Amino acid sequence: MPDRVIVEVDEDLSDLIPGFMAHKRADINTIFDAVTRRDYAEVGRIAHRVKGEGGSYGFDTMTEIGRSLEHAAATRDGGAVTTLARQLLSYLDRVEVVFQPAKD
């Protein structure tokens, strides 16, 4: 797949990453549904979670997109929310996780 994004993650998280990625995909679907309903509070809650969790797991781009999504939700910008949700989905489609030994 073109434009792969390599993310190095601590091997101690290897059991958690598949579920985490599946949950982020579910979050994107919820964002699309919420923006259709103009439920920007729901988008904001999910965006805040994406922002925090991305950095916790080492997905800095996810954190950046989450931050932008949070702002778009706060300003009730449905077009930006949709665009950013698509960017997050594209990112998830392109990311390749490489597990690294834990650093002492």
Side-chain angles (χ1 to χ4, degrees):
M1 177 175 271
D3 299 326
R4 297 300 289 167
V5 177
I6 306 295
V7 176
E8 294 182 354
V9 176
D10 188 312
E11 68 184 356
D12 290 343
L13 300 175
S14 64
D15 290 343
L16 302 175
I17 295 300
F20 171 73
M21 299 299 270
H23 282 105
K24 293 309 105 192
R25 288 183 183 281
D27 283 346
I28 293 167
N29 289 330
T30 303
I31 289 169
F32 284 132
D33 290 342
V35 77
T36 299
R37 295 187 318 273
R38 298 178 188 210
D39 185 350
Y40 295 104
E42 176 73 2
V43 173
R45 282 189 292 275
I46 294 168
H48 184 76
R49 192 170 60 236
V50 167
K51 180 179 74 173
E53 291 174 344
S56 296
Y57 285 97
F59 297 92
D60 295 335
T61 297
M62 189 181 296
T63 294
E64 293 169 21
I65 295 171
R67 183 177 295 115
S68 296
L69 264 169
E70 197 171 28
H71 176 75
T75 60
R76 304 177 64 81
D77 186 342
V81 168
T82 299
T83 297
L84 289 160
R86 287 181 182 142
Q87 286 177 7
L88 183 56
L89 182 58
S90 173
Y91 172 75
L92 290 177
D93 287 343
R94 294 179 297 118
V95 76
E96 181 178 328
V97 177
V98 175
F99 294 105
Q100 297 296 319
K103 297 176 183 169
D104 293 329

